Amino acid sequence: MNGANVLGEFLRARRALVRPEDAGIRGGGLRRVPGLRREEVAMLSGISADYYLRLEQGRDRNPSLQVLEALADVLNLDADATEHLIGLAQLRPSQTRGTVPAEGRARGAARRPETVPPDILQLMEAWPNNPAYVENKFTDVLAANALARALSPNHAPGSNIMRAVLLDESERELRRDWDQLTEAGVAALRANVGPDVDDPRLVELVGELSVRSERFRQLWARHDVHPKQSRLLRLRHPKVGDFELYASKLGIVGADGLVLKVFQAAPGSRDAELLAILGSLTASGETDRDRDPAGSESRRAVEDQ
């Protein structure tokens, strides 16, 4: 990531994804790079090749709305990606860094503590049949109820959902739609952070995942931008088997971007029955023992004495 030229990075990544034939370009000889050439994007957008080159190189950061909309059309951007492009172009250095130089935003820079409102905590605990947790824009988990933790240990506070889904094999086994989920998750992360690519937490997370996950590297390089939407999750839980839950995302007013994630099953369905069984196992403590064999052995040893 290069916070000094986020617009150029986005334009380069997105033009590499456009097939020349989809843009009405036939032939064109041998291509050394995927997607459209710079001069082709410029021609199709109605701007000069030199001006487009300046945009990609970060030497011109004040394109008009008309130019941006023309570029979005050539690059086949949807509404979310177009809005993201316009937001990148409208930034000024002072908006992304304030009076703090880039080198001052180091990985170890202090962050303001994120606090989940007490009423949200009470609300989650009052939902015995709905797994729920709170995450920030980097998918760090800040709070979760018991049923959410039973659904996945990685829903516990202190975990990072993106990191867990990409690196924890048990998460891949849990999520039957892992491919679609990871694609949507990375695109949502970009949408959440927008142009603030210098944020120390984001730099840390992207750095780790780029080193450890080929899947993440491929998806992050695409610069896909799609806000996270409510969706149907297809799960395979080790205790109750296959079932489906609808995941809803609720913004928490006045909580600086925190989101409440709530899962529910269709009333009266087999999925609701399985979720209830998982809840009963959670209440009895059975799921915790099954996930901690060493702890179970220790408890049995104490009971036998």
Side-chain angles (χ1 to χ4, degrees):
M1 295 182 299
N2 178 7
N5 189 21
V6 289
L7 175 61
E9 290 181 1
F10 182 81
L11 291 173
R12 283 194 297 273
R14 298 308 302 184
R15 72 176 169 86
L17 298 176
V18 181
R19 298 188 304 173
E21 56 268 32
D22 292 339
I25 297 175
R26 305 298 176 185
L30 180 66
R31 291 180 176 269
R32 293 177 296 177
V33 295
L36 297 176
R37 300 185 178 110
R38 289 191 184 95
E39 58 270 22
E40 291 170 339
V41 175
M43 176 190 67
L44 293 169
S45 302
I47 60 178
S48 72
D50 179 66
Y51 180 56
Y52 180 76
L53 177 61
R54 295 202 306 272
L55 288 177
E56 274 205 4
Q57 293 180 341
R59 293 186 287 122
D60 191 314
R61 304 185 186 185
N62 297 282
S64 68
L65 181 60
Q66 181 179 7
V67 167
L68 293 171
E69 290 176 340
L71 289 171
D73 185 58
V74 172
L75 299 176
N76 294 330
L77 303 185
D78 61 15
D80 292 326
T82 299
E83 182 180 355
H84 183 74
L85 170 64
I86 293 171
L88 295 180
Q90 290 177 344
L91 281 173
R92 302 294 180 267
S94 61
Q95 288 177 282
T96 57
R97 293 173 180 79
T99 58
V100 181
E103 60 271 19
R105 295 166 60 99
R107 298 189 182 200
R111 293 181 58 84
R112 186 176 65 180
E114 297 173 304
T115 303
V116 180
D119 60 316
I120 298 298
L121 296 175
Q122 295 173 11
L123 181 64
M124 288 194 301
E125 292 304 323
W127 286 336
N129 300 317
N130 294 95
Y133 67 86
V134 175
E135 66 178 10
N136 63 13
K137 66 181 180 179
F138 308 110
T139 73
D140 295 319
V141 180
L142 304 180
N145 64 15
L147 192 52
R149 297 192 298 272
L151 194 63
S152 168
N154 287 308
H155 289 157
S159 297
N160 178 272
I161 298 297
M162 182 69 66
R163 181 183 186 279
V165 170
L166 286 162
L167 302 181
D168 189 334
E169 188 61 31
S170 67
E171 287 291 333
R172 186 162 188 168
E173 295 173 358
L174 172 68
R175 301 171 189 275
R176 290 184 284 152
D177 54 353
W178 186 85
D179 286 338
Q180 298 92 327
L181 186 69
T182 52
E183 182 176 350
V186 173
L189 178 62
R190 272 208 181 273
N192 289 342
V193 299
D196 194 14
V197 296
D198 287 337
D199 189 287
R201 177 60 185 128
L202 181 67
V203 171
E204 177 186 34
L205 180 62
V206 170
E208 178 188 11
L209 294 179
S210 296
V211 169
R212 302 183 62 186
S213 171
E214 174 65 22
R215 174 69 171 168
F216 179 82
R217 286 195 300 273
Q218 293 174 349
L219 293 174
W220 190 252
R222 289 175 55 91
H223 283 248
D224 288 335
V225 180
H226 296 293
K228 185 174 289 186
Q229 304 294 331
S230 299
R231 57 175 292 146
L232 187 69
L233 296 180
R234 301 172 64 245
L235 305 172
R236 174 164 293 146
H237 197 276
K239 294 300 299 180
V240 298
D242 292 0
F243 67 118
E244 297 179 349
L245 295 178
Y246 195 77
S248 299
K249 182 188 77 168
L250 308 174
I252 302 176
V253 178
D256 195 23
L258 300 189
V259 170
L260 174 63
K261 296 290 293 294
V262 186
F263 303 87
Q264 58 180 315
S269 66
R270 174 63 175 167
D271 299 319
E273 180 181 347
L274 293 175
L275 187 58
I277 292 173
L278 182 60
S280 65
L281 294 176
T282 302
S284 68
E286 183 175 337
T287 52
D288 291 336
R289 289 195 300 270
D290 288 345
R291 280 199 300 270
D292 182 15
S296 298
E297 290 295 332
S298 298
R299 279 188 290 271
R300 282 195 291 270
V302 172
E303 292 170 355
D304 290 340
Q305 287 179 354

